[in-house]
Amino acid sequence: MSKMLAQRTLKSLTKAVGVGLHSGQRVELTLRPAAPDTGIVFRRVDLPQPVDIAISAQSVTDTRLASTISSGSAKVHTVEHLMSACAGLGIDNLYVDITAEEVPILDGSASSFVFLLQSAGIELQAAPKRFIRVIKPVEVREGEGASTKWARLSPYEGYKLSFEIDFDHPAVDSTGQRVEFDMGSGAYSRDIARARTFGFTKDVEMMRANGLALGGGLDNAIVMDDYKVLNSDGLRYNDEFVKHKILDAMGDLYLLGKPLLAAYSAFRSGHAMNNKLLRELLAHKDAYEVVTFEDEKKAPRGFATLARAW
Ligand SMILES: [Zn+2]
């Protein structure tokens, strides 16, 4: 008898405490198991009446600096690194209880979230995992010439992402500006999750003056001046910058609410354009279909086996 490809949640709950990158505010996060077909639901437990914010392409209401989801006036900022870890480990159903308006930045990558989720243990559930399979290409594009940027989803029997950045900075020029990652490698935790967010000292000063990046520093970001990386330990990957863009894209795209079967490619995209791409896909009902796998052996590589720890 064949075994279906099942939805996943956590075996037990797990907690983390940290600070928000922009707010600098202390925040507690509790990740809890959820029933099949719940999806991923953030719950603001600090409000007088707790408010649930279920992820969806439409739940994203602000994409400046980070991806923010909201329901009414309740918001959660900077969800993309946690969402990336959920995408990488194939978590379908999860409650995320949070005590402030921003997900903790932890080490600036997704690896702390991967560690938390792995430590809680991953449970297979009695319901088929539902994918959104792209059957016709969709694309969003902005700007002309030197300021052009675009993002695209194309049919692909699996999930792969390729990203190109175009930063004119000595510390970035010397590293890879383009990277491709395929979920079929099974190596998300090792190859993508550890890539940290990055910023420039001059931007950080400006953001701080505007009450942003208050929790940011050398222990949760790659920080560069006009010439070099200032972190004493250097980079975790020699192409860490563009790998972080893949990490962010995986998180932004997972806000769709179901894993994609598609090839994503992008040039200088970011949170705003990634969300626009999801809305473009949903606006074209003939461009996708929802599929399940009755026999997990027929599923694309990288989805049936539980992800390796590291
Ligand atoms: Zn990021």
Side-chain angles (χ1 to χ4, degrees):
M1 210 188 104
S2 62
K3 192 169 147 228
M4 74 171 174
L5 183 54
Q7 293 180 25
R8 295 178 192 172
T9 190
L10 295 185
K11 281 199 167 84
S12 60
L13 65 73
T14 179
K15 287 172 189 275
V17 179
V19 296
L21 174 63
H22 292 297
S23 62
Q25 218 180 354
R26 183 188 185 274
V27 49
E28 283 177 34
L29 202 63
T30 306
L31 307 178
R32 295 188 288 119
D37 296 316
T38 303
I40 297 177
V41 179
F42 285 75
R43 179 171 290 173
R44 283 286 304 277
V45 294
D46 56 314
L47 299 175
Q49 287 291 343
V51 176
D52 283 0
I53 311 173
I55 61 153
S56 70
Q58 286 78 17
S59 71
V60 178
T61 50
D62 190 349
T63 48
R64 292 166 295 175
L65 303 175
S67 287
T68 297
I69 56 172
S70 60
S71 172
S73 60
K75 291 177 181 151
V76 180
H77 301 293
T78 322
V79 298
E80 60 270 17
H81 300 167
L82 171 57
M83 292 304 300
S84 183
C86 289
L89 300 187
I91 306 288
D92 299 282
N93 304 304
L94 183 70
Y95 283 113
V96 182
D97 293 349
I98 187 165
T99 62
E101 212 172 61
E102 191 177 9
V103 174
I105 188 67
L106 303 179
D107 74 335
S109 77
S111 71
S112 304
F113 296 118
V114 168
F115 179 77
L116 275 171
L117 295 166
Q118 297 270 27
S119 307
I122 293 167
E123 174 127 305
L124 296 174
Q125 299 176 286
K129 192 178 184 79
R130 289 180 230 287
F131 294 86
I132 289 191
R133 177 198 268 153
V134 172
I135 49 180
K136 280 184 187 173
V138 291
E139 182 182 280
V140 288
R141 184 176 280 276
E142 275 171 23
E144 292 296 323
S147 69
T148 190
K149 48 184 175 176
W150 52 262
R152 184 185 304 139
L153 289 169
S154 316
Y156 178 67
E157 206 41 38
Y159 187 37
K160 75 175 173 188
L161 304 99
S162 61
F163 204 105
E164 186 171 354
I165 53 175
D166 181 28
F167 275 114
D168 185 18
H169 185 282
V172 184
D173 283 348
S174 60
T175 72
Q177 300 247 27
R178 186 176 186 284
V179 77
E180 184 169 287
F181 171 70
D182 196 312
M183 272 292 277
S185 69
Y188 168 81
S189 304
R190 189 191 69 199
D191 291 346
I192 300 296
R194 296 176 62 246
R196 290 163 295 174
T197 194
F198 54 94
F200 302 94
T201 44
K202 54 172 187 255
D203 297 339
V204 172
E205 283 155 22
M206 201 185 67
M207 285 197 277
R208 290 226 169 117
N210 289 298
L212 295 166
L214 299 176
L218 291 166
D219 54 355
N220 56 30
I222 307 168
V223 182
M224 288 166 281
D225 65 12
D226 286 340
Y227 308 100
K228 61 185 186 305
V229 169
L230 301 179
N231 305 63
S232 56
D233 293 343
L235 299 178
R236 292 179 174 177
Y237 306 109
N238 55 21
D239 51 0
E240 189 169 355
F241 306 99
V242 66
K243 281 191 165 163
H244 188 79
K245 299 297 282 186
I246 295 260
L247 184 160
D248 275 344
M250 286 181 72
D252 289 341
L253 297 177
Y254 208 54
L255 289 166
L256 185 57
K258 293 183 181 64
L260 278 164
L261 294 178
Y264 163 88
S265 48
F267 178 62
R268 300 173 60 223
S269 184
H271 304 304
M273 187 160 258
N274 290 336
N275 188 249
K276 226 171 136 183
L277 182 63
L278 291 184
R279 289 171 190 245
E280 182 72 10
L281 176 68
L282 294 174
H284 292 86
K285 301 260 178 274
D286 59 339
Y288 67 91
E289 60 188 5
V290 177
V291 295
T292 60
F293 294 92
E294 289 302 315
D295 179 357
E296 65 171 21
K297 290 195 197 75
K298 300 212 167 90
R301 280 186 319 139
F303 287 102
T305 44
L306 290 173
R308 282 198 302 267
W310 298 109

